[in-house]
Amino acid sequence: MQQLIQQNEWIFYVILILVAVMLIACLIRAIIGPRIADRLVAVNMITTMVMAIVSILAIVMDEGYLIDICLIYAMISFLAVVVLSKVYTGVYFEQKEKQKEKLEKGEMTDGNS
C-alpha cells in the first residue's frame, strides 16, 4: 500500500493545490459576503477543506496522529458553526422584532393623525 502511495504521490500534491485554490476562493467569499449566511457557509467550507488537506497530508506523510487532529478539528468546527448559527438567528429575530415594532408604531401614529 505504501509503495502504491509513493508511486502516485504527485496525485496527492495536485489535489492539495486544487483544494488550496478552492480554499482561497472561499476565503474571498467569507470576506466579501455580502450576507452573514454567505460568510457562515464559506467559513464552514474552509474548515471542511482544511480537514481534507490534513487527511491528505496524513496519507502522504504516513502519520496516523494527523487523523486524530483532523477529528478533533471537525468537532471544534461543528461547535463553532452551531454557535455562529445561533448568534446569527438571534440577531435576525431581534432585527425582525424591531422592524415589527417600528411598523406598529408607524401605523399607530398614522391612525391617530
Side-chain angles (χ1 to χ4, degrees):
M1 179 72 173
Q2 189 62 28
Q3 184 181 10
L4 182 65
I5 290 173
Q6 288 176 349
Q7 289 174 349
N8 298 319
E9 194 170 337
W10 63 273
I11 294 173
F12 292 113
Y13 292 122
V14 170
I15 293 171
L16 284 174
I17 291 170
L18 291 174
V19 173
V21 169
M22 290 188 300
L23 190 118
I24 291 170
C26 283
L27 182 64
I28 291 170
R29 173 51 64 192
I31 293 171
I32 293 175
R35 296 182 306 244
I36 296 175
D38 295 331
R39 292 185 173 115
L40 188 62
V41 170
V43 168
N44 193 17
M45 281 298 299
I46 288 171
T47 58
T48 302
M49 285 188 268
V50 167
M51 287 184 289
I53 289 172
V54 171
S55 298
I56 292 170
L57 287 175
I59 292 171
V60 170
M61 295 171 37
D62 196 28
E63 298 291 340
Y65 70 90
L66 289 176
I67 299 297
D68 296 335
I69 291 172
C70 188
L71 289 171
I72 292 169
Y73 188 72
M75 289 186 278
I76 292 171
S77 169
F78 173 74
L79 289 175
V81 169
V82 168
V83 168
L84 289 173
S85 296
K86 183 71 174 167
V87 169
Y88 171 67
T89 55
V91 169
Y92 173 77
F93 286 130
E94 184 178 305
Q95 289 176 350
K96 193 173 182 181
E97 187 66 31
K98 285 181 182 179
Q99 287 177 351
K100 185 178 177 183
E101 289 175 4
K102 285 183 180 180
L103 184 63
E104 288 175 356
K105 287 181 182 178
E107 289 177 3
M108 287 182 174
T109 54
D110 288 341
N112 292 336
S113 298

